[in-house]
Amino acid sequence: MRSIWRTTDPGLLRDIALVCLADGVVGLSYGAISVGGGLDLWVPVLLSIVVFAGASQFLFVGIVAAGGSPIAATVAGLLVNSRHVAFGLAVSDVIGSGWRRPLGSHVMTDENVAFALGQDDLRQKRAAYWVCGIGIFVCWNIGVVIGALAGSVITDTDVFGLDAAFPAVLLALVLPSLRDKKTRTAALVGSVVALAATPFLPAGLPVLLALVGLVFYRSDKPALDAVR
Amino acid sequence: MNTTLLLVGILVLAVGTFSLRLAGPWMRTRFELPERAQQVMAVAAVVLLAALVATAALTDGHGGAGIARPAGVLVGGVLAWRKAPFVLVVVAAAATAAGLRLLGVP
């Protein structure tokens, strides 16, 4: 792990630290909202450690706190997390093998996948992925515990504009990849499809549907069978 | 509330999510993928992240996200496109949305 710190340049570390901090604040609100909604402290805390996927956790506690069935909450959460399959296929080499695989898979988030994809070589990708993943895991869980204990300190992170900060984080990180015209076309088509599907489908599915944009990803060689 | 059912729900979500995360790396070690397919995998991740940006910026639940949030993301996006430092991108996006809300913009 020490080599990871040596490969990571200070600028990247600062960027990652900022994202971890922001995730910690969202964790605060998640903990506070869960307990405020009438759930016991252990529910948001356990979810954060063993599930560790923000969007699905918000959805889960939202459904359960509103009196919904835990089964429905589980299904909804799994649907939202299904995009991790595609992320895993993309960052498999970055995660590594042996003990790194289960651990690295567990700390997989949108943010550290985006950070990894934005780096040039494998060493840098690994460093960005692991530092960001572990950093978010630590900050998120600390935030959740504090939020759940303190109750209503911060329940509405929209006041700070954090709901705008997270899409901006991901946008800034994928922008370099979008300079490639074929990738840009696929991403654009996929985003339009996801937006069009959002009013009609449960959370998680619209983003997954965006993968149809890959049909528009044409290579110079006619090897389209590999897409399917 | 049924604590046992709740606990089972959490554990199933945990095991399921972990399996979804592990599925990609697991499949990649079992099957040798041609170069072209590996390239598509990377593009697939970018497509998903882009769709996440679009839906997170413009929608909330099944409806629209109002004005403040898309405006904030737009400001951040333009700054990122102009190669502004990452910290500035993030802070400007948040500040724009927060500032607009302070002014009463939804």
Side-chain angles (χ1 to χ4, degrees):
Chain A
M1 280 294 157
R2 215 158 43 117
S3 66
I4 277 182
W5 291 101
R6 251 184 282 126
T7 11
T8 318
D9 75 87
L12 181 61
L13 278 181
R14 187 198 54 216
D15 295 352
I16 290 174
L18 178 73
V19 171
C20 293
L21 193 72
D23 269 299
V25 176
V26 177
L28 274 177
S29 80
Y30 159 77
I33 287 170
S34 307
V35 173
L39 296 174
D40 288 335
L41 179 91
W42 65 268
V43 176
V45 173
L46 182 65
L47 274 165
S48 294
I49 296 167
V50 299
V51 177
F52 183 56
S56 68
Q57 290 179 231
F58 270 107
L59 201 58
F60 187 96
V61 297
I63 291 172
V64 173
S69 141
I71 297 167
T74 302
V75 172
L78 285 174
L79 214 50
V80 170
N81 292 338
S82 54
R83 65 177 183 280
H84 286 106
V85 176
F87 287 157
L89 285 167
V91 297
S92 171
D93 295 344
V94 176
I95 291 175
S97 55
W99 61 269
R100 289 183 186 84
R101 196 181 300 150
L103 195 66
S105 296
H106 188 57
V107 298
M108 184 189 294
T109 61
D110 302 324
E111 293 92 327
N112 70 338
V113 168
F115 263 113
L117 291 175
Q119 306 305 311
D120 293 324
D121 61 84
L122 188 60
R123 278 178 71 89
Q124 287 283 345
K125 282 176 194 282
R126 281 206 171 129
Y129 181 91
W130 279 92
V131 172
C132 185
I134 293 171
I136 290 178
F137 187 83
V138 171
C139 291
W140 174 253
N141 279 291
I142 291 175
V144 171
V145 171
I146 295 176
L149 285 174
S152 55
V153 236
I154 301 172
T155 48
D156 187 13
T157 52
D158 286 7
V159 174
F160 308 107
L162 279 182
D163 58 324
F166 278 95
V169 162
L170 295 182
L171 182 56
L173 293 173
V174 296
L175 217 48
S177 306
L178 296 179
R179 288 184 201 278
D180 171 50
K181 192 168 177 289
K182 293 175 296 177
T183 307
R184 193 165 62 232
T185 307
L188 211 60
V189 172
S191 298
V192 170
V193 169
L195 285 173
T198 298
F200 312 105
L201 296 178
L205 272 187
V207 167
L208 220 52
L209 265 187
L211 289 175
V212 300
L214 285 176
V215 173
F216 292 84
Y217 181 73
R218 301 246 183 261
S219 76
D220 308 325
K221 282 173 247 161
L224 265 177
D225 51 324
V227 181
R228 299 197 181 91
Chain B
M1 191 175 298
N2 187 335
T3 304
T4 313
L5 191 59
L6 186 57
L7 190 61
V8 169
I10 291 172
L11 294 181
V12 171
L13 180 57
V15 172
T17 301
F18 182 69
S19 307
L20 291 167
R21 281 175 166 141
L22 203 61
W26 185 83
M27 284 192 270
R28 287 291 294 270
T29 55
R30 293 299 180 283
F31 313 104
E32 194 61 47
L33 285 177
E35 182 111 356
R36 157 79 189 165
Q38 290 185 27
Q39 203 186 337
V40 172
M41 298 300 174
V43 177
V46 173
V47 169
L48 282 180
L49 287 168
L52 267 180
V53 171
T55 52
L58 300 173
T59 68
D60 197 349
H62 292 293
I67 294 163
R69 193 198 301 170
V73 178
L74 183 67
V75 168
V78 169
L79 285 170
W81 181 53
R82 302 299 303 266
K83 303 209 162 117
F86 183 77
V87 177
L88 183 64
V89 170
V90 179
V91 172
T96 302
L100 284 173
R101 285 187 183 121
L102 213 58
L103 297 172
V105 180

